């Protein structure tokens, strides 16, 4: 319980009540249902019309699946997600030989989430035998056995798989990285469409045609950028055009910190600068931008991964396009990999 309280506090979750678990799956669910029931003397929660039962080890459930099972439960009394079997199920005999096998085309794998009219599933658990509570695993079966309710089966998505083994954690991490890398916000401090910064934006949009690329401005109001943050964009490219120093990036980082967006997932911020070889010596520019290292250490504590990108700005159009494409490739890689090892680094294109 203390570990769960710590998680709730750390990630600032709201409207969450904790209930002590039981020694088995069904006993844990029954404890949760009793916390919602009106007939319990210590109940502080209101009884819902529909209750959803879900596994924490299936973290990628989508809203449309939840909506489908809840809608079906209201009509049928119970509903659950299912998926096609990927392996044939067989039944062995007592001596370890094949007894019979199931026709895979006629059977399905029961998944989560499942939804029930509260009274249906609560009354089923109240009638459960100790054997059910100790060894049972299927809530839909309890609704059928004790409530005579035939659950509606809803086709689930492929993302309903369970994180069971250690190797599954790496797959889960990969899925999370992929999902939060699908939206990039480019923050620019100039509206001059002829500036090299806007050329970089166009190249990014062309190169990353499978990713949503939006633009935000660090204007005094900053409402468009605030809205993008509210939409939970986790990747930002801050293009510094008018300000050669770190001022604009610092303002963006302050907005992100105030939003608490990085509490759950890491936010990547790439601060982009352009070097015109005729105006500023390379060594001087690098020295001015090395402050990014110290600032990156501070924001990393708040789960914001900051790194810099310096794009060499030659006068020849052909060389400029090549530099911008190389810069776009570096940006795409940084956002996709979300490698904390590159935090505070100033990369050069």
């Amino acid at each position: 319980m203390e570990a769960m309280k710590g998680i709730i506090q750390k990630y600032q979750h709201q409207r969450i009540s904790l209930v002590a678990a039981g020694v088995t799956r069904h006993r844990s669910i029954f404890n949760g249902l009793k916390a919602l029931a009106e007939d319990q003397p210590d109940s502080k929660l209101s009884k819902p019309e529909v209750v959803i039962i879900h596994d924490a080890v299936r973290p990628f459930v989508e809203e449309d699946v939840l909506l489908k099972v809840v809608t079906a439960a209201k009509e049928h009394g119970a509903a659950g997600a299912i998926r096609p079997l990927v392996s044939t199920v067989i039944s062995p005999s007592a001596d370890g030989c094949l007894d019979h096998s199931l026709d895979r085309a006629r059977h399905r794998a029961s998944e989560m989430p499942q939804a029930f009219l509260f009274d249906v599933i609560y009354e089923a658990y109240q009638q459960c035998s100790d054997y059910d509570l100790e060894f049972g695993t299927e809530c839909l079966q309890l609704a059928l056995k004790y409530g005579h309710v035939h659950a509606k089966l809803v086709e689930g998505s492929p993302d309903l798989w369970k994180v069971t083994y250690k190797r599954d954690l790496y797959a889960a991490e990969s899925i999370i990285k992929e999902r939060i890398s699908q939206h990039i916000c480019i923050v620019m401090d100039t509206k001059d469409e002829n500036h090299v910064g806007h050329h970089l934006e166009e190249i990014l949009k062309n190169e990353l045609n499978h990713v949503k690329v939006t633009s935000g401005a660090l204007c005094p109001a900053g409402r468009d950028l605030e809205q993008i943050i509210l939409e939970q964009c986790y990747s930002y490219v801050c293009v510094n055009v008018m300000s050669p120093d770190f001022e604009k990036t610092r303002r963006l980082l302050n907005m992100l910190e105030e939003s608490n967006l990085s509490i759950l997932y890491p936010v990547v911020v790439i601060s982009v600068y352009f070097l015109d070889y005729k105006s500023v010596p390379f060594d001087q520019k690098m020295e001015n931008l090395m402050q990014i290292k110290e600032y990156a250490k501070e924001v990393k504590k708040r789960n914001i991964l900051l790194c810099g990108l310096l794009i060499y700005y030659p006068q020849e159009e052909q060389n400029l396009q090549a530099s911008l494409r190389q810069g776009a490739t570096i940006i795409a890689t940084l956002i996709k990999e979300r490698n904390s090892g590159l935090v505070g680094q100033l990369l050069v294109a």
Side-chain angles (χ1 to χ4, degrees), residues 2 5 46 49 94 110 118 131 168 203-204 237 243 255 269 313 321 326 347:
E2 293 305 314
K5 288 178 181 177
S46 57
E49 177 188 3
S110 178
F118 182 82
Y131 184 88
D168 296 331
I203 289 176
L204 272 173
V237 179
S243 301
M255 290 183 68
V269 176
Y313 186 1
Q321 292 299 315
Q326 184 180 0
L347 308 176

Side-chain angles (χ1 to χ4, degrees), residues 19-37 51-55 112 114 116 118 121-122 125 128 133 136-140 142:
V19 178
V23 295
T24 66
R25 170 189 171 84
H26 275 326
R27 292 190 186 279
S28 295
I29 294 172
F30 196 13
N31 286 353
L33 293 172
K34 285 188 284 190
L36 295 169
V51 62
I52 300 171
I53 298 174
H54 188 60
D55 289 333
M112 290 300 199
Q114 296 174 351
F116 305 84
F118 182 82
I121 192 63
Y122 184 52
Y125 270 93
C128 270
L133 292 174
T137 59
E138 180 53 71
C139 304
L140 298 179
L142 295 183

Side-chain angles (χ1 to χ4, degrees), residues 14-85:
Q14 304 295 323
R15 300 175 63 187
I16 292 181
S17 299
L18 294 178
V19 178
V23 295
T24 66
R25 170 189 171 84
H26 275 326
R27 292 190 186 279
S28 295
I29 294 172
F30 196 13
N31 286 353
L33 293 172
K34 285 188 284 190
L36 295 169
E38 295 176 336
D39 61 356
Q40 298 295 312
D42 298 329
S43 178
K44 299 178 181 179
L45 304 173
S46 57
K47 186 184 84 171
E49 177 188 3
V50 175
V51 62
I52 300 171
I53 298 174
H54 188 60
D55 289 333
V57 291
R58 302 178 199 269
F60 301 115
V61 60
E62 297 180 352
E63 288 186 25
D64 66 322
V65 176
L66 293 170
L67 178 61
K68 287 177 181 177
V69 295
V70 167
T71 302
K74 287 183 177 181
E75 181 179 351
H76 299 274
I82 59 170
R83 289 288 300 159
L85 289 172

